Amino acid sequence: MANNKDNKPKNGLKIQSILYILLFIGFGYILLKDDGSELTGEATYTEFKEYMEKGYVSNLVVYSNMGAMDMYIKPDSARYVFGDRAVAQPMVKPMLNVGVGSLDNLQEFIDSLEQTGQFTGEVEYRKRSHTFTDILVSVFPFVLIIAFWIILSRRMGGGAGGGGGVFSVGKSKAKVYEKGQADRVTFKDVAGQAEAKTEVEEIVEFLKNPKKYTDLGGKIPKGALLVGPPGTGKTLLAKAVAGEADVPFFSLSGSDFVEMFVGVGASRVRDLFRQAKEKAPCIIFIDEIDAVGRARGKNPAMGGNDERENTLNQLLTEMDGFGTNSGVIILAATNRVDILDKALLRAGRFDRQIHLDLPDLNERKAVFGVHLRNIKLSKNVDVDLLARQTPGFSGADIANVCNEAALIAARHNKKAVDKDDFLAAVDRIVGGLEKKTKVLTADEKRTIALHEAGHATLSWFLEYANPLIKVTIVPRGRALGAAWYLPEERQITTKEQMLDEMCATLGGRAAEELFTGHISTGAMNDLERVTKQAYGMIAYAGMSDKLANLCYYSSTDEYAFQKPYSDKTAETIDSEVKALIAQQYERGKKLLLEHEEGHHQLAQLLIEREVIMAEDVERIFGKRPWASRSEEILEEDKPAAESTPVTENHDHVEP
Ligand code: ADP
Ligand code: ZN
């Protein structure tokens, strides 16, 4: 009885052997539980996306209440997925289990593939009911994990945490691209997106030559957020950064972190950073970061999603924990910065945002250029025409067109892909996109061009309006057009400045009324801003004659339930607001008529080119009568102008 000490390891051994037996039973059970499927396994969300895109997947069964799905692989594709295993052991229903982080993202992804025809299989949504066997299946891993955890904690110095060992749930599922690959992606493969490329160039520089920066005590951002609609090349750009710098690239999706087991996400994050630090300098790329990075605890009553929050907290801790100069740079992609937790965007984390937009005409031409490189073209293919035919297409859509065209040509046993194949491919893909993205009719395009040209013309001729930088009619998000201005940095604003701004903002609607004969909902956003501004001028800033020098705003009362003025004053405010706006609207129309010819030229140029810069406006109207800063913008090179705060004026936001 004295050798109590020796008992411990023995006990441990016993537990261990019991555990292995349990494991055996467990695996046997998992293999048997899906009738007929002899090949099973797990896949990451990233792999899932890849297999879907390559057309390997026959159908999906999504367990919406379990955060998981079964991905059935087409028998003839099984060998790409399972390799030799599939050849050695022909199977009936090859299937892989995939964790699903966000059902919305999944749904969106499936939709997009269905629309382009890349995925035609069935998607079945099931709620897994908790029958006895299901309970067994779901409890079983927990029992194992607990047992395993006991062993771990018994081991001396086993404080590494996480899963590891027998079960690799806690391991990061990142896909690693090693350095020095011959076919690596470089900036050559990313067409357009010039601004984004300039932004990431510094990161490449740092990865290539960290000493140059560290010697000077410089700090490079730890992370940058690539923001933009799906298919604009965010993943591609991140890969290109790694490729240019020739460093390893870890790629995974935000959903890969999220799993139904508690604590797994956090431990995967730890594991990922550990691996990355070993391979530094390197790049970590997290796609769809919103799957983990959504704002925390918005709805405490619902209990929140603790697992996701833990994962996010771990990510934040890791980002704070490694030094700025450790050589690991994290790039993350999202379509929605607005829903991200603010903590992620703080200094020292993802403090840089790099925006990627849908390509304009010239950029689309460039994207076609990249994707036509490997396609055998017949002589009658006109890239210019193709770019014109595809407004609103993303880079991924264009890549799809090229692929689809090649498939169509092959189907007709042609020697080379010709113009008709491309047009057929465009049609097919437009058909898919129409439901989701905006594809503009020629008429709509004209209206939007007239509208935006209205803003541009007025801001050119109004002394105090913010100088224009560029105008576009490329749809972005929910806006169909936009104008960028360089706002003056001023602490106080005079009445004249406010009036000029209002007038320029009303220019879109005014141009529509004058030159199309109709007014549209496209100006709603403009009107909202103008109305707010007018109320501010009159009720708060005391800028009207009838209510001169009166301010009905209280900076002390946060909860003013009552209006601090009489009903009669309320009426006066309303009528003054109306009069003010009407006055500026008339002023705008008059000015537009004076410069009608130039306005039309501008609109025409917009229809042709989709994007015009301040230089183009100057070519049409001559130098801005109010010299000053607009010239500085023209003289400075572009990036400098872009780094100053630029206001965006979105138009045509759908009601
Ligand atoms: P995102 O990550 O923004 O959803 P991806 O980087 O995955 O988009 O883009 C998908 C595919 O679309 C790329 O693999 C590439 O073939 C094509 N693509 C997208 N943008 C571009 C671009 N600017 N230049 C060339 N190809 C592009
Ligand atoms: Zn407008």
Side-chain angles (χ1 to χ4, degrees), residues 610-627:
E610 296 182 5
V611 178
I612 53 177
M613 312 298 289
E615 294 98 316
D616 302 310
V617 187
E618 182 171 310
R619 219 173 301 124
I620 291 173
F621 288 128
K623 271 215 176 326
R624 195 163 183 237
W626 329 101

Side-chain angles (χ1 to χ4, degrees), residues 314-329:
Q314 189 62 39
L315 184 65
L316 295 175
T317 316
E318 290 288 346
M319 283 191 84
D320 291 341
F322 71 92
T324 346
N325 297 322
S326 68
V328 181
I329 288 180

Side-chain angles (χ1 to χ4, degrees), residues 68-134:
M69 65 184 156
D70 292 343
M71 162 169 70
Y72 288 91
I73 304 291
K74 291 179 188 158
D76 51 350
S77 303
R79 69 200 157 94
Y80 303 119
V81 176
F82 295 95
D84 294 342
R85 245 174 88 200
V87 182
Q89 179 194 359
M91 68 238 81
V92 193
K93 276 163 93 186
M95 185 271 283
L96 287 167
N97 211 286
V98 186
V100 180
S102 146
L103 277 178
D104 288 346
N105 282 347
L106 174 70
Q107 185 66 54
E108 208 174 292
F109 175 69
I110 295 177
D111 280 353
S112 71
L113 287 194
E114 277 176 346
Q115 278 168 11
T116 56
Q118 277 166 288
F119 178 67
T120 48
E122 230 173 77
V123 184
E124 190 185 334
Y125 288 87
R126 267 193 221 159
K127 277 229 156 72
R128 197 170 250 182
S129 57
H130 294 273
T131 61
F132 178 70
T133 42
D134 280 324

Side-chain angles (χ1 to χ4, degrees), residues 451 455 526 651:
H451 177 113
H455 290 307
D526 296 340
D651 267 317

Side-chain angles (χ1 to χ4, degrees), residues 45 62 67 69 99-109 253-256 258 288 290-292 294 308:
Y45 195 72
V62 181
M69 65 184 156
V100 180
S102 146
L103 277 178
D104 288 346
N105 282 347
L106 174 70
Q107 185 66 54
E108 208 174 292
F109 175 69
S253 161
S255 309
D256 288 341
V258 189
E288 289 172 5
D290 33 313
V292 272
R294 217 168 301 145
R308 194 174 53 72

Side-chain angles (χ1 to χ4, degrees), residues 189-191 193 229-236 367 371 395-396 399:
D189 303 298
V190 188
Q193 308 294 7
T232 43
K234 299 184 288 295
T235 315
L236 191 69
V367 180
H371 292 283

Side-chain angles (χ1 to χ4, degrees), residues 358-364 387-393 440 445 448-449 452 470-475 480-482 484 602-613:
L358 290 178
D360 66 30
L361 185 62
N362 282 321
E363 289 173 318
R364 289 201 301 273
R388 272 176 209 291
Q389 293 273 322
T390 48
F393 275 46
L440 302 180
K445 200 167 163 181
I448 297 165
E452 297 299 336
K470 79 175 185 189
V471 190
T472 120
I473 56 169
V474 179
L480 293 187
W484 277 261
L602 257 184
Q604 194 51 42
L605 204 59
L606 261 177
I607 294 174
E608 277 163 26
R609 296 232 304 257
E610 296 182 5
V611 178
I612 53 177
M613 312 298 289

